[in-house]
Amino acid sequence: MRPLAGSLRLVPIRPPGAPNVANDPNGANEEARLMPSAEDRLTGWRFLLFTAALAVGNVVALSNVPGYTVLAPYAAGSLQGVNPSFGTWATTDHMMGIVLGLPLARWLSGRYGDARVYASAFVAYALFSLACAMSETIWFFVPMRFLLGLAGGVLLPLGQALALNEIPENRRVFGVAWWGVLSMAPFTLGVFMGGFWAEYVNWRMLFYSNIILGLPIAGLVVALLYGRPHRRRIVRFDAIGFLLICVTLVGVQTILNQGNDFDWFGAPILAALLVAVIIALPAFVVWELGERTPALDLRLFRHRNYAVGVFCSVAGFLVIQGTLSVFVGQLQTLLGYPSSLAGVVYLSMAICAAPLVSIMHLIVRRVDLRYFASLNFIGFAVTLTWLGEYDKVASFDQITTPMIFFGLFLATFFAPPAAIAVQGLSGQKLIRAAEELAMLRTAFGAYGITSQAVVQFRRAPVHQLGMADHLGGREYPSLDALGALTRKLQDLGLSEAVTNVQISRLMRQQALLLGLDDAFYFGAMVFLCLAAIIWLARPAPAAKPEPKPSLADFEAEELME
Protein backbone atom coordinates (compact mmCIF):
# COMPACT_ATOMS: atom_id res chain seq x y z
CA MET A 1 0.00 0.00 0.00
CA ARG A 2 1.21 3.50 -0.73
CA PRO A 3 2.01 6.16 1.91
CA LEU A 4 -0.70 8.82 1.92
CA ALA A 5 -0.81 12.39 3.10
CA GLY A 6 -2.99 13.09 6.09
CA SER A 7 -1.91 10.10 8.22
CA LEU A 8 -1.33 10.65 11.92
CA ARG A 9 2.09 9.04 11.86
CA LEU A 10 5.16 11.26 11.72
CA VAL A 11 7.15 11.19 8.48
CA PRO A 12 10.59 12.81 8.20
CA ILE A 13 10.65 15.64 5.66
CA ARG A 14 13.87 16.16 3.73
CA PRO A 15 14.98 19.81 3.44
CA PRO A 16 16.60 21.02 0.21
CA GLY A 17 19.92 19.30 -0.33
CA ALA A 18 19.31 16.62 2.30
CA PRO A 19 19.47 12.90 1.47
CA ASN A 20 16.51 11.32 -0.25
CA VAL A 21 13.91 9.52 1.82
CA ALA A 22 15.06 6.26 0.29
CA ASN A 23 18.37 6.62 2.12
CA ASP A 24 16.73 7.46 5.43
CA PRO A 25 16.28 4.42 7.65
CA ASN A 26 12.88 5.51 8.94
CA GLY A 27 11.64 6.36 5.44
CA ALA A 28 12.88 3.05 4.06
CA ASN A 29 11.25 1.09 6.86
CA GLU A 30 7.97 2.94 6.39
CA GLU A 31 7.96 2.28 2.67
CA ALA A 32 8.85 -1.38 3.18
CA ARG A 33 6.05 -1.75 5.71
CA LEU A 34 3.45 -0.42 3.29
CA MET A 35 4.68 -2.18 0.15
CA PRO A 36 3.73 -5.80 -0.59
CA SER A 37 6.56 -8.27 -0.13
CA ALA A 38 8.34 -9.77 -3.12
CA GLU A 39 6.46 -13.05 -2.54
CA ASP A 40 3.08 -11.28 -2.59
CA ARG A 41 3.65 -9.29 -5.76
CA LEU A 42 1.99 -10.43 -8.95
CA THR A 43 4.28 -12.09 -11.50
CA GLY A 44 4.09 -13.56 -14.96
CA TRP A 45 0.82 -13.38 -16.83
CA ARG A 46 -1.00 -12.13 -13.74
CA PHE A 47 1.29 -9.10 -13.55
CA LEU A 48 0.90 -8.40 -17.28
CA LEU A 49 -2.89 -8.72 -17.11
CA PHE A 50 -3.05 -6.52 -14.00
CA THR A 51 -0.85 -3.81 -15.55
CA ALA A 52 -2.80 -3.87 -18.82
CA ALA A 53 -6.11 -3.54 -16.93
CA LEU A 54 -4.85 -0.56 -14.94
CA ALA A 55 -3.43 1.05 -18.10
CA VAL A 56 -6.74 0.72 -19.93
CA GLY A 57 -8.56 2.06 -16.87
CA ASN A 58 -6.27 5.09 -16.78
CA VAL A 59 -6.85 5.81 -20.47
CA VAL A 60 -10.63 5.39 -20.08
CA ALA A 61 -10.82 7.81 -17.14
CA LEU A 62 -8.59 10.43 -18.76
CA SER A 63 -10.04 10.19 -22.26
CA ASN A 64 -13.52 11.12 -21.11
CA VAL A 65 -12.45 14.79 -20.98
CA PRO A 66 -11.19 15.43 -24.55
CA GLY A 67 -13.08 12.43 -25.91
CA TYR A 68 -16.33 14.16 -25.02
CA THR A 69 -15.15 17.59 -26.21
CA VAL A 70 -14.99 16.48 -29.83
CA LEU A 71 -18.55 15.14 -29.72
CA ALA A 72 -20.01 18.05 -27.69
CA PRO A 73 -21.81 19.48 -30.79
CA TYR A 74 -23.54 16.11 -31.30
CA ALA A 75 -24.50 15.90 -27.63
CA ALA A 76 -25.86 19.47 -27.63
CA GLY A 77 -28.06 18.65 -30.60
CA SER A 78 -29.43 15.51 -28.93
CA LEU A 79 -30.04 17.11 -25.52
CA GLN A 80 -33.10 19.12 -26.62
CA GLY A 81 -31.07 21.03 -29.23
CA VAL A 82 -29.24 23.38 -26.86
CA ASN A 83 -26.40 25.65 -28.00
CA PRO A 84 -22.96 24.02 -28.34
CA SER A 85 -21.75 26.27 -25.49
CA PHE A 86 -24.20 24.47 -23.20
CA GLY A 87 -22.62 21.18 -24.20
CA THR A 88 -19.26 22.51 -23.04
CA TRP A 89 -20.56 22.64 -19.46
CA ALA A 90 -20.33 18.86 -19.38
CA THR A 91 -16.57 19.07 -20.05
CA THR A 92 -15.70 21.69 -17.48
CA ASP A 93 -17.93 20.27 -14.74
CA HIS A 94 -16.47 16.83 -15.41
CA MET A 95 -12.98 18.24 -14.84
CA MET A 96 -14.12 19.86 -11.59
CA GLY A 97 -15.35 16.45 -10.49
CA ILE A 98 -11.89 15.02 -11.14
CA VAL A 99 -10.33 17.80 -9.06
CA LEU A 100 -12.57 17.09 -6.08
CA GLY A 101 -12.14 13.33 -6.42
CA LEU A 102 -8.39 13.48 -5.76
CA PRO A 103 -8.57 14.33 -2.02
CA LEU A 104 -11.42 11.84 -1.61
CA ALA A 105 -9.15 9.13 -3.02
CA ARG A 106 -6.54 9.84 -0.34
CA TRP A 107 -9.09 9.55 2.46
CA LEU A 108 -10.99 6.53 1.15
CA SER A 109 -7.89 4.48 0.34
CA GLY A 110 -6.57 5.01 3.86
CA ARG A 111 -9.76 3.58 5.36
CA TYR A 112 -10.60 0.79 2.91
CA GLY A 113 -7.49 0.11 0.84
CA ASP A 114 -6.46 1.04 -2.68
CA ALA A 115 -7.84 -2.05 -4.42
CA ARG A 116 -11.30 -1.98 -2.83
CA VAL A 117 -11.77 1.72 -3.43
CA TYR A 118 -10.47 1.44 -7.01
CA ALA A 119 -12.87 -1.37 -7.90
CA SER A 120 -15.81 0.37 -6.20
CA ALA A 121 -15.00 3.63 -7.98
CA PHE A 122 -15.00 1.88 -11.35
CA VAL A 123 -18.41 0.37 -10.62
CA ALA A 124 -19.66 3.87 -9.76
CA TYR A 125 -17.96 5.13 -12.94
CA ALA A 126 -19.91 2.61 -14.98
CA LEU A 127 -23.22 3.58 -13.32
CA PHE A 128 -22.69 7.30 -13.92
CA SER A 129 -21.66 6.53 -17.50
CA LEU A 130 -24.96 4.70 -17.97
CA ALA A 131 -26.81 7.73 -16.60
CA CYS A 132 -24.93 10.00 -19.04
CA ALA A 133 -25.71 7.70 -21.96
CA MET A 134 -29.42 7.69 -21.12
CA SER A 135 -29.70 11.45 -20.52
CA GLU A 136 -32.28 13.36 -22.52
CA THR A 137 -31.80 16.87 -21.10
CA ILE A 138 -28.73 19.00 -20.45
CA TRP A 139 -29.93 19.61 -16.87
CA PHE A 140 -29.62 15.91 -16.05
CA PHE A 141 -26.58 15.24 -18.22
CA VAL A 142 -24.29 17.86 -16.66
CA PRO A 143 -24.71 16.69 -13.01
CA MET A 144 -24.09 13.11 -14.12
CA ARG A 145 -20.92 14.23 -15.90
CA PHE A 146 -19.79 15.90 -12.69
CA LEU A 147 -20.34 12.71 -10.70
CA LEU A 148 -18.56 10.76 -13.44
CA GLY A 149 -15.58 13.08 -12.99
CA LEU A 150 -15.73 12.61 -9.22
CA ALA A 151 -15.41 8.84 -9.66
CA GLY A 152 -12.62 9.40 -12.20
CA GLY A 153 -10.73 11.61 -9.75
CA VAL A 154 -10.74 8.70 -7.28
CA LEU A 155 -9.65 6.21 -9.95
CA LEU A 156 -6.65 8.01 -11.37
CA PRO A 157 -4.25 8.23 -8.39
CA LEU A 158 -5.25 4.82 -7.05
CA GLY A 159 -4.62 3.13 -10.39
CA GLN A 160 -1.13 4.63 -10.48
CA ALA A 161 -0.46 3.55 -6.88
CA LEU A 162 -1.64 -0.01 -7.52
CA ALA A 163 0.58 -0.28 -10.59
CA LEU A 164 3.69 0.99 -8.79
CA ASN A 165 3.09 -1.34 -5.84
CA GLU A 166 3.35 -4.38 -8.11
CA ILE A 167 6.32 -3.22 -10.20
CA PRO A 168 9.68 -4.52 -8.90
CA GLU A 169 11.90 -1.80 -7.52
CA ASN A 170 14.48 -2.11 -10.31
CA ARG A 171 11.76 -1.69 -12.97
CA ARG A 172 9.93 1.35 -11.63
CA VAL A 173 11.68 3.73 -14.01
CA PHE A 174 10.12 1.83 -16.91
CA GLY A 175 6.76 1.97 -15.15
CA VAL A 176 6.93 5.74 -14.90
CA ALA A 177 7.91 5.95 -18.59
CA TRP A 178 4.97 3.74 -19.54
CA TRP A 179 2.58 5.85 -17.49
CA GLY A 180 3.99 8.96 -19.16
CA VAL A 181 3.05 7.57 -22.57
CA LEU A 182 -0.45 6.85 -21.28
CA SER A 183 -0.77 10.47 -20.14
CA MET A 184 -0.73 11.56 -23.79
CA ALA A 185 -3.61 9.25 -24.76
CA PRO A 186 -6.43 11.66 -23.81
CA PHE A 187 -5.15 14.45 -26.03
CA THR A 188 -4.60 12.18 -29.03
CA LEU A 189 -6.31 8.79 -28.97
CA GLY A 190 -9.19 10.05 -26.79
CA VAL A 191 -10.15 12.79 -29.24
CA PHE A 192 -9.86 10.42 -32.19
CA MET A 193 -12.06 7.75 -30.57
CA GLY A 194 -14.65 10.31 -29.51
CA GLY A 195 -14.86 11.62 -33.06
CA PHE A 196 -15.10 8.09 -34.44
CA TRP A 197 -17.98 7.16 -32.11
CA ALA A 198 -19.87 10.35 -32.89
CA GLU A 199 -19.63 10.08 -36.66
CA TYR A 200 -19.91 6.36 -37.31
CA VAL A 201 -21.90 5.00 -34.35
CA ASN A 202 -23.48 7.36 -31.81
CA TRP A 203 -22.04 9.92 -29.42
CA ARG A 204 -23.55 7.99 -26.48
CA MET A 205 -21.27 5.08 -27.34
CA LEU A 206 -18.44 6.90 -25.56
CA PHE A 207 -20.27 6.29 -22.27
CA TYR A 208 -21.36 2.76 -23.10
CA SER A 209 -17.69 1.93 -23.78
CA ASN A 210 -16.91 3.06 -20.23
CA ILE A 211 -19.26 0.35 -18.97
CA ILE A 212 -17.97 -2.30 -21.36
CA LEU A 213 -14.38 -1.70 -20.25
CA GLY A 214 -14.85 -0.49 -16.67
CA LEU A 215 -16.72 -3.40 -15.11
CA PRO A 216 -14.24 -6.08 -16.32
CA ILE A 217 -11.34 -3.93 -15.08
CA ALA A 218 -12.92 -3.67 -11.62
CA GLY A 219 -13.46 -7.45 -11.58
CA LEU A 220 -9.90 -8.19 -12.66
CA VAL A 221 -8.37 -5.96 -9.98
CA VAL A 222 -10.45 -7.59 -7.24
CA ALA A 223 -9.75 -11.11 -8.52
CA LEU A 224 -5.99 -10.67 -8.93
CA LEU A 225 -5.54 -9.00 -5.54
CA TYR A 226 -8.01 -11.22 -3.69
CA GLY A 227 -6.77 -12.09 -0.23
CA ARG A 228 -4.17 -9.33 -0.20
CA PRO A 229 -4.22 -7.92 3.37
CA HIS A 230 -4.92 -4.24 3.93
CA ARG A 231 -3.47 -2.38 6.88
CA ARG A 232 -5.98 0.31 7.72
CA ARG A 233 -4.54 3.77 8.31
CA ILE A 234 -6.16 6.60 10.22
CA VAL A 235 -6.54 9.44 7.75
CA ARG A 236 -8.08 12.72 8.78
CA PHE A 237 -10.43 14.35 6.30
CA ASP A 238 -10.82 18.12 6.28
CA ALA A 239 -14.55 18.24 5.59
CA ILE A 240 -14.92 22.00 6.10
CA GLY A 241 -11.96 22.81 3.86
CA PHE A 242 -13.29 20.40 1.25
CA LEU A 243 -16.72 22.06 1.33
CA LEU A 244 -15.22 25.54 1.00
CA ILE A 245 -12.99 24.55 -1.92
CA CYS A 246 -16.02 22.92 -3.60
CA VAL A 247 -17.97 26.17 -3.35
CA THR A 248 -15.02 28.21 -4.62
CA LEU A 249 -13.96 26.04 -7.56
CA VAL A 250 -17.41 24.99 -8.74
CA GLY A 251 -18.81 28.50 -8.22
CA VAL A 252 -16.12 30.15 -10.34
CA GLN A 253 -16.48 27.46 -13.00
CA THR A 254 -20.27 27.88 -13.15
CA ILE A 255 -19.92 31.65 -13.55
CA LEU A 256 -17.46 31.18 -16.42
CA ASN A 257 -19.60 28.45 -17.98
CA GLN A 258 -22.87 30.34 -18.01
CA GLY A 259 -21.71 33.96 -18.24
CA ASN A 260 -21.90 34.23 -22.01
CA ASP A 261 -25.24 32.44 -22.14
CA PHE A 262 -27.00 34.24 -19.25
CA ASP A 263 -25.66 37.81 -19.37
CA TRP A 264 -23.06 37.34 -16.63
CA PHE A 265 -24.04 39.05 -13.39
CA GLY A 266 -27.28 40.33 -14.86
CA ALA A 267 -28.57 36.85 -14.00
CA PRO A 268 -29.55 36.55 -10.30
CA ILE A 269 -28.16 33.03 -9.97
CA LEU A 270 -24.70 34.08 -11.20
CA ALA A 271 -24.72 37.16 -8.97
CA ALA A 272 -25.56 34.92 -5.99
CA LEU A 273 -22.74 32.55 -6.94
CA LEU A 274 -20.32 35.48 -7.07
CA VAL A 275 -21.31 36.46 -3.52
CA ALA A 276 -20.86 32.86 -2.36
CA VAL A 277 -17.37 32.69 -3.93
CA ILE A 278 -16.34 36.03 -2.42
CA ILE A 279 -17.31 34.71 1.02
CA ALA A 280 -15.96 31.16 0.59
CA LEU A 281 -12.50 32.02 -0.81
CA PRO A 282 -11.12 34.06 2.14
CA ALA A 283 -12.82 31.68 4.58
CA PHE A 284 -11.07 28.79 2.84
CA VAL A 285 -7.66 30.47 3.06
CA VAL A 286 -8.05 31.28 6.76
CA TRP A 287 -9.32 27.79 7.59
CA GLU A 288 -6.64 25.92 5.65
CA LEU A 289 -3.78 27.91 7.18
CA GLY A 290 -4.97 26.84 10.62
CA GLU A 291 -5.83 23.23 9.79
CA ARG A 292 -3.32 20.47 10.63
CA THR A 293 -4.36 18.22 7.72
CA PRO A 294 -5.87 20.64 5.17
CA ALA A 295 -7.70 19.65 2.03
CA LEU A 296 -5.30 21.92 0.13
CA ASP A 297 -2.04 22.68 1.94
CA LEU A 298 -1.49 26.38 1.24
CA ARG A 299 1.66 26.32 3.37
CA LEU A 300 3.46 24.66 0.49
CA PHE A 301 3.40 28.01 -1.31
CA ARG A 302 5.95 29.30 1.19
CA HIS A 303 8.48 27.42 -0.92
CA ARG A 304 9.51 29.81 -3.68
CA ASN A 305 10.08 27.12 -6.30
CA TYR A 306 6.74 25.51 -5.53
CA ALA A 307 4.90 28.80 -6.00
CA VAL A 308 6.70 29.57 -9.28
CA GLY A 309 6.41 26.03 -10.64
CA VAL A 310 2.72 25.72 -9.80
CA PHE A 311 1.91 29.14 -11.27
CA CYS A 312 3.65 28.35 -14.55
CA SER A 313 2.14 24.88 -14.72
CA VAL A 314 -1.48 25.95 -14.09
CA ALA A 315 -1.29 29.08 -16.27
CA GLY A 316 0.25 27.11 -19.11
CA PHE A 317 -2.29 24.30 -18.83
CA LEU A 318 -5.10 26.87 -18.77
CA VAL A 319 -4.00 27.94 -22.25
CA ILE A 320 -3.28 24.41 -23.51
CA GLN A 321 -6.53 22.80 -22.39
CA GLY A 322 -8.56 25.84 -23.41
CA THR A 323 -6.97 26.04 -26.84
CA LEU A 324 -7.29 22.34 -27.59
CA SER A 325 -10.93 22.19 -26.46
CA VAL A 326 -12.07 25.34 -28.25
CA PHE A 327 -10.17 24.46 -31.42
CA VAL A 328 -11.60 20.93 -31.75
CA GLY A 329 -15.11 22.37 -31.49
CA GLN A 330 -14.42 25.11 -34.03
CA LEU A 331 -12.92 22.62 -36.47
CA GLN A 332 -16.41 21.12 -36.71
CA THR A 333 -18.79 24.05 -36.23
CA LEU A 334 -16.72 26.74 -37.99
CA LEU A 335 -14.50 24.96 -40.51
CA GLY A 336 -16.87 22.11 -41.36
CA TYR A 337 -14.60 19.19 -40.41
CA PRO A 338 -16.35 15.90 -39.62
CA SER A 339 -15.65 14.74 -36.08
CA SER A 340 -13.50 11.81 -37.22
CA LEU A 341 -11.24 14.10 -39.27
CA ALA A 342 -10.97 16.52 -36.36
CA GLY A 343 -9.88 13.53 -34.27
CA VAL A 344 -7.19 12.69 -36.84
CA VAL A 345 -5.84 16.25 -36.55
CA TYR A 346 -5.37 15.69 -32.83
CA LEU A 347 -4.04 12.17 -33.32
CA SER A 348 -1.17 13.69 -35.32
CA MET A 349 0.15 15.23 -32.09
CA ALA A 350 1.22 11.75 -30.96
CA ILE A 351 3.83 11.48 -33.73
CA CYS A 352 6.44 13.35 -31.71
CA ALA A 353 4.76 13.38 -28.31
CA ALA A 354 4.45 9.65 -27.54
CA PRO A 355 8.17 8.71 -27.81
CA LEU A 356 9.37 11.93 -26.17
CA VAL A 357 7.08 11.85 -23.13
CA SER A 358 8.36 8.38 -22.21
CA ILE A 359 11.86 9.75 -21.48
CA MET A 360 11.01 13.17 -20.10
CA HIS A 361 11.38 12.04 -16.48
CA LEU A 362 14.98 11.13 -17.27
CA ILE A 363 15.79 14.27 -19.27
CA VAL A 364 14.69 16.66 -16.53
CA ARG A 365 17.23 15.14 -14.13
CA ARG A 366 20.14 16.08 -16.36
CA VAL A 367 19.44 19.66 -17.45
CA ASP A 368 18.71 23.01 -15.85
CA LEU A 369 14.94 22.87 -15.59
CA ARG A 370 14.55 26.62 -16.03
CA TYR A 371 16.23 26.52 -19.45
CA PHE A 372 14.10 23.57 -20.51
CA ALA A 373 10.83 25.08 -19.30
CA SER A 374 11.61 28.49 -20.82
CA LEU A 375 12.38 26.96 -24.22
CA ASN A 376 9.19 24.91 -24.02
CA PHE A 377 7.10 28.01 -23.30
CA ILE A 378 8.71 29.91 -26.17
CA GLY A 379 7.99 26.93 -28.45
CA PHE A 380 4.34 27.04 -27.45
CA ALA A 381 4.22 30.79 -28.10
CA VAL A 382 5.62 30.29 -31.61
CA THR A 383 3.24 27.42 -32.39
CA LEU A 384 0.17 29.31 -31.15
CA THR A 385 1.19 32.35 -33.19
CA TRP A 386 1.57 30.06 -36.20
CA LEU A 387 -2.00 28.78 -35.71
CA GLY A 388 -3.25 32.34 -35.19
CA GLU A 389 -1.94 33.46 -38.57
CA TYR A 390 -4.66 31.56 -40.45
CA ASP A 391 -7.18 34.27 -41.37
CA LYS A 392 -9.09 32.03 -43.78
CA VAL A 393 -10.26 28.43 -43.79
CA ALA A 394 -7.15 26.23 -43.84
CA SER A 395 -6.71 22.78 -45.32
CA PHE A 396 -6.05 19.63 -43.32
CA ASP A 397 -2.35 19.64 -44.24
CA GLN A 398 -1.91 23.26 -43.17
CA ILE A 399 -3.47 22.65 -39.77
CA THR A 400 -1.83 19.29 -39.08
CA THR A 401 1.74 20.60 -39.41
CA PRO A 402 1.59 23.04 -36.47
CA MET A 403 -0.41 20.50 -34.47
CA ILE A 404 2.50 18.05 -34.72
CA PHE A 405 4.73 20.70 -33.14
CA PHE A 406 1.99 21.38 -30.58
CA GLY A 407 2.21 17.72 -29.58
CA LEU A 408 6.00 17.97 -29.32
CA PHE A 409 5.82 20.85 -26.85
CA LEU A 410 2.88 19.28 -25.03
CA ALA A 411 5.02 16.20 -24.31
CA THR A 412 7.74 18.40 -22.80
CA PHE A 413 5.41 20.73 -20.90
CA PHE A 414 4.36 18.84 -17.78
CA ALA A 415 7.63 17.57 -16.32
CA PRO A 416 9.91 20.69 -16.11
CA PRO A 417 7.65 23.09 -14.13
CA ALA A 418 6.40 20.19 -12.00
CA ALA A 419 9.98 19.13 -11.17
CA ILE A 420 10.82 22.75 -10.29
CA ALA A 421 7.78 22.87 -8.00
CA VAL A 422 8.81 19.84 -5.94
CA GLN A 423 12.55 20.51 -5.70
CA GLY A 424 13.67 19.89 -2.14
CA LEU A 425 10.52 18.00 -1.10
CA SER A 426 10.37 14.34 -0.15
CA GLY A 427 8.24 11.68 1.47
CA GLN A 428 4.69 12.64 2.38
CA LYS A 429 5.28 16.28 1.53
CA LEU A 430 6.36 15.32 -1.98
CA ILE A 431 3.23 13.22 -2.54
CA ARG A 432 1.02 15.99 -1.19
CA ALA A 433 2.68 18.64 -3.37
CA ALA A 434 2.30 16.47 -6.48
CA GLU A 435 -1.36 15.78 -5.71
CA GLU A 436 -2.16 19.45 -5.17
CA LEU A 437 -0.33 20.42 -8.36
CA ALA A 438 -2.48 17.92 -10.26
CA MET A 439 -5.63 19.32 -8.62
CA LEU A 440 -4.86 22.96 -9.40
CA ARG A 441 -3.68 22.23 -12.92
CA THR A 442 -6.87 20.30 -13.73
CA ALA A 443 -9.05 23.04 -12.23
CA PHE A 444 -7.35 25.75 -14.25
CA GLY A 445 -7.55 23.57 -17.35
CA ALA A 446 -11.33 23.66 -16.93
CA TYR A 447 -11.18 27.44 -16.49
CA GLY A 448 -9.12 27.60 -19.67
CA ILE A 449 -11.87 25.97 -21.76
CA THR A 450 -14.36 28.67 -20.85
CA SER A 451 -11.87 31.56 -20.80
CA GLN A 452 -10.58 30.84 -24.30
CA ALA A 453 -14.17 30.54 -25.50
CA VAL A 454 -14.90 33.93 -23.90
CA VAL A 455 -11.93 35.47 -25.75
CA GLN A 456 -13.29 34.22 -29.07
CA PHE A 457 -16.89 35.18 -28.21
CA ARG A 458 -15.93 38.73 -27.17
CA ARG A 459 -13.54 39.40 -30.03
CA ALA A 460 -15.78 38.12 -32.85
CA PRO A 461 -18.22 41.11 -32.75
CA VAL A 462 -15.27 43.51 -32.84
CA HIS A 463 -14.01 41.91 -36.04
CA GLN A 464 -17.50 41.74 -37.49
CA LEU A 465 -18.00 45.46 -36.87
CA GLY A 466 -14.69 46.17 -38.57
CA MET A 467 -15.73 44.19 -41.64
CA ALA A 468 -19.11 45.92 -41.67
CA ASP A 469 -17.34 49.29 -41.66
CA HIS A 470 -15.10 48.13 -44.49
CA LEU A 471 -17.89 46.70 -46.63
CA GLY A 472 -20.20 49.59 -45.88
CA GLY A 473 -17.69 52.05 -47.27
CA ARG A 474 -17.07 54.07 -44.12
CA GLU A 475 -13.35 53.18 -44.07
CA TYR A 476 -12.69 52.92 -47.80
CA PRO A 477 -15.65 54.61 -49.58
CA SER A 478 -13.90 54.68 -52.94
CA LEU A 479 -13.69 50.88 -53.08
CA ASP A 480 -17.43 50.20 -52.69
CA ALA A 481 -16.55 46.65 -51.55
CA LEU A 482 -20.09 45.72 -50.55
CA GLY A 483 -21.55 46.79 -53.88
CA ALA A 484 -18.89 44.89 -55.83
CA LEU A 485 -19.45 41.73 -53.77
CA THR A 486 -23.24 42.01 -54.10
CA ARG A 487 -23.08 42.39 -57.88
CA LYS A 488 -20.70 39.43 -58.15
CA LEU A 489 -23.03 37.13 -56.21
CA GLN A 490 -26.10 38.31 -58.12
CA ASP A 491 -24.31 37.67 -61.40
CA LEU A 492 -24.03 34.05 -60.25
CA GLY A 493 -27.82 33.87 -60.13
CA LEU A 494 -28.52 34.64 -56.46
CA SER A 495 -31.44 36.83 -55.51
CA GLU A 496 -30.95 39.99 -53.46
CA ALA A 497 -32.29 38.34 -50.28
CA VAL A 498 -30.09 35.25 -50.66
CA THR A 499 -27.12 37.48 -51.45
CA ASN A 500 -27.57 39.41 -48.20
CA VAL A 501 -27.87 36.18 -46.22
CA GLN A 502 -24.72 34.76 -47.80
CA ILE A 503 -22.74 37.93 -47.12
CA SER A 504 -23.90 37.95 -43.49
CA ARG A 505 -22.97 34.29 -43.08
CA LEU A 506 -19.51 34.83 -44.55
CA MET A 507 -18.92 37.86 -42.34
CA ARG A 508 -19.95 35.92 -39.24
CA GLN A 509 -17.71 32.99 -40.16
CA GLN A 510 -14.75 35.26 -40.80
CA ALA A 511 -15.34 37.17 -37.55
CA LEU A 512 -15.40 33.93 -35.54
CA LEU A 513 -12.24 32.76 -37.28
CA LEU A 514 -10.46 36.01 -36.40
CA GLY A 515 -11.77 35.72 -32.84
CA LEU A 516 -10.27 32.22 -32.69
CA ASP A 517 -6.98 33.69 -33.89
CA ASP A 518 -7.15 36.18 -31.02
CA ALA A 519 -7.51 33.26 -28.58
CA PHE A 520 -4.32 31.77 -30.07
CA TYR A 521 -2.53 35.10 -29.77
CA PHE A 522 -3.68 35.44 -26.16
CA GLY A 523 -2.19 32.03 -25.42
CA ALA A 524 1.06 32.99 -27.13
CA MET A 525 1.38 36.11 -24.97
CA VAL A 526 0.74 34.07 -21.80
CA PHE A 527 3.51 31.64 -22.70
CA LEU A 528 5.95 34.45 -23.47
CA CYS A 529 5.30 35.84 -19.98
CA LEU A 530 5.76 32.39 -18.43
CA ALA A 531 9.09 31.99 -20.23
CA ALA A 532 10.33 34.95 -18.17
CA ILE A 533 8.51 34.12 -14.91
CA ILE A 534 10.06 30.64 -14.67
CA TRP A 535 13.44 32.29 -14.05
CA LEU A 536 12.18 33.50 -10.67
CA ALA A 537 12.69 29.94 -9.44
CA ARG A 538 15.92 29.12 -7.64
CA PRO A 539 18.39 26.93 -9.54
CA ALA A 540 18.78 23.32 -8.52
CA PRO A 541 21.40 22.66 -5.81
CA ALA A 542 24.89 21.61 -6.83
CA ALA A 543 25.03 18.15 -8.35
CA LYS A 544 25.59 15.33 -5.85
CA PRO A 545 25.53 11.56 -6.20
CA GLU A 546 21.92 10.90 -7.13
CA PRO A 547 20.11 8.93 -4.40
CA LYS A 548 18.03 5.92 -5.20
CA PRO A 549 14.46 7.09 -6.00
CA SER A 550 11.85 6.09 -3.45
CA LEU A 551 8.30 4.96 -4.08
CA ALA A 552 7.16 8.47 -3.14
CA ASP A 553 9.40 9.91 -5.87
CA PHE A 554 7.94 7.64 -8.54
CA GLU A 555 4.37 8.15 -7.39
CA ALA A 556 4.81 11.93 -7.39
CA GLU A 557 6.16 11.79 -10.97
CA GLU A 558 3.10 9.87 -12.12
CA LEU A 559 0.71 12.23 -10.33
CA MET A 560 2.34 15.28 -11.89
CA GLU A 561 2.16 13.78 -15.39
Side-chain angles (χ1 to χ4, degrees), residues 284-348:
F284 169 74
V285 173
V286 172
W287 176 265
E288 295 298 86
L289 290 177
E291 176 66 17
R292 185 173 61 176
T293 56
L296 190 70
D297 192 355
L298 300 178
R299 290 181 288 268
L300 285 169
F301 286 92
R302 295 172 181 171
H303 299 275
R304 177 173 161 183
N305 276 23
Y306 186 78
V308 173
V310 168
F311 178 80
C312 290
S313 187
V314 300
F317 195 62
L318 180 147
V319 172
I320 292 170
Q321 184 68 55
T323 300
L324 290 177
S325 297
V326 171
F327 191 39
V328 74
Q330 294 304 311
L331 281 175
Q332 300 172 80
T333 59
L334 181 60
L335 304 184
Y337 277 52
S339 59
S340 60
L341 190 59
V344 173
V345 171
Y346 277 55
L347 190 62
S348 66

Side-chain angles (χ1 to χ4, degrees), residues 439-461:
M439 287 177 60
L440 293 172
R441 190 171 58 200
T442 305
F444 276 79
Y447 294 156
I449 296 174
T450 47
S451 63
Q452 288 290 72
V454 168
V455 171
Q456 183 192 21
F457 180 82
R458 290 294 180 181
R459 290 295 298 168

Side-chain angles (χ1 to χ4, degrees), residues 32-44:
R33 184 177 72 82
L34 293 171
M35 286 289 294
S37 63
E39 293 78 12
D40 291 335
R41 286 196 182 113
L42 300 174
T43 58

